[in-house]
Amino acid sequence: MRTHTLTTAGADLVYDVREPQAGADGRPPLFMVGAPMDATGFAALAARFPERTVVTYDPRGLGRSTRGDGRTDHTPETQADDLHAVIGALGGGPVEMFASSGGAVTALALVARHPGDVSVLVAHEPPLITLTPDGPAAVRARAAVREAYEQRGWGAGMAAFVAMTSWEGEFTDAYFAQPTPDPAAFGMPTEDDGSRDDPLLSDRSWAISDHRPDAEAVTGAPTRVVIAVGEESRAVQTGRTSDAVAELLGQRATVFPSHHGGFLDGEFGYPGKPDEFAHRLREVLDGAS
């Protein structure tokens, strides 16, 4: 694996290139993109594509990528332009791309803004909460996570986030009537370290979850776009947002093994089924439905 740094007007973007073990296979690079997950989250999945050139990167302000634009927010448009710059540094597109969570939102913005960059995009569980029928209630639930974080710190915020993302179905009065989640019950720290800059729990990434893809631009691009959803996610928020994005684009979500982190092994304490996930991803990249 070779690590590179691309200096742009607003950030130093760090990306990794894994070359195929048996030499060039004639296929374009396979990008793996997340947010707020950085490149470390794709180590298990990348290792399962030894025949491909795999590129992972840290979005600006996350992981090893520093920013000099004076901002702290994360927007899909800025991240899409960063991805466009990295693709250009590698010789230009089209590339193939697997993008998950906020990275899937970035990738949809990339296809709309730079339609020649990606030949096939597998967008896994984009958390576009305003597209679901209960969008206003989802926004209220997201605000409650931020409030818990601001008032009591990371453990309380993460406990509220887990409670929100594991709730099945729409956010009803029953959801909001629940007692405040106890961080200790989730194995989270109860002490407050004083930090308030977490990209997941603060409002710094709200522009990502508020984003509405340009459906006309995405469907009009030459990119084959596949919206993917984990089989264990169908009833929870990211499963419902996946179905909503797929409907917006005139398709049905394609089912993948496991959950929102289905491509992870055990290094983050939220193991999925990386072998089965990689097999399914290979099928879909090759054109299977």
Side-chain angles (χ1 to χ4, degrees):
M1 184 176 74
R2 293 178 290 118
T3 299
H4 307 265
T5 300
L6 174 63
T7 299
T8 70
D12 288 337
L13 305 173
V14 179
Y15 63 96
D16 304 310
V17 180
R18 294 169 171 84
E19 298 290 352
Q21 294 180 4
D25 65 351
R27 297 188 64 168
L30 171 58
F31 272 63
M32 297 182 179
V33 180
M37 177 181 285
D38 59 27
T40 59
F42 295 100
L45 186 59
R48 287 162 170 82
F49 283 84
E51 78 282 8
R52 300 291 303 269
T53 296
V54 177
V55 181
T56 57
Y57 97 120
D58 294 350
R60 67 169 60 200
L62 299 172
R64 302 158 295 173
S65 291
T66 58
R67 62 193 306 172
D69 57 4
R71 301 182 63 148
T72 59
D73 61 329
H74 302 281
T75 69
E77 294 82 7
T78 298
Q79 291 187 6
D81 289 345
D82 285 347
L83 264 181
H84 175 67
V86 173
I87 291 170
L90 287 170
V95 302
E96 296 182 1
M97 186 170 291
F98 169 74
S100 187
S101 193
V105 181
T106 296
L108 290 168
L110 174 68
V111 169
R113 294 168 73 85
H114 306 284
D117 278 4
V118 185
S119 59
V120 54
L121 165 64
V122 179
H124 180 248
E125 300 200 7
L128 296 172
I129 64 175
T130 64
L131 298 186
T132 58
D134 62 329
V139 169
R140 178 185 170 192
R142 181 186 64 181
V145 170
R146 177 180 179 271
E147 182 179 4
Y149 176 56
E150 291 291 335
Q151 291 184 352
R152 296 186 290 129
W154 186 87
M158 185 56 71
F161 179 79
V162 171
M164 179 185 73
T165 55
S166 59
W167 178 262
E168 294 190 354
E170 296 189 354
F171 293 105
T172 61
D173 290 342
Y175 172 81
F176 294 106
Q178 295 180 109
T180 302
D182 179 7
F186 294 94
M188 310 290 182
T190 56
E191 66 276 6
D192 183 354
D193 66 5
S195 65
R196 294 295 185 272
D197 57 358
D198 189 285
L200 185 66
L201 304 178
S202 67
D203 59 0
R204 295 187 176 191
S205 299
W206 281 11
I208 293 176
S209 52
D210 283 341
H211 181 68
R212 184 178 183 89
D214 185 336
E216 183 176 356
V218 172
T219 57
T223 308
R224 178 168 63 91
V225 176
V226 178
I227 304 300
V229 62
E231 61 186 352
E232 298 174 27
S233 301
R234 300 313 299 269
V236 299
Q237 185 180 48
T238 55
R240 296 189 302 113
T241 60
S242 300
D243 287 334
V245 177
E247 182 178 357
L248 180 70
L249 300 180
Q251 60 177 267
R252 296 176 68 89
T254 298
V255 179
F256 270 61
S258 198
H259 46 60
H260 191 63
F263 50 91
L264 300 174
D265 55 23
E267 77 271 43
F268 296 103
Y270 187 45
K273 298 177 180 178
D275 289 333
E276 295 93 329
F277 197 100
H279 177 74
R280 181 62 170 143
L281 177 57
R282 187 174 282 106
E283 287 181 334
V284 173
L285 290 172
D286 289 343
S289 60

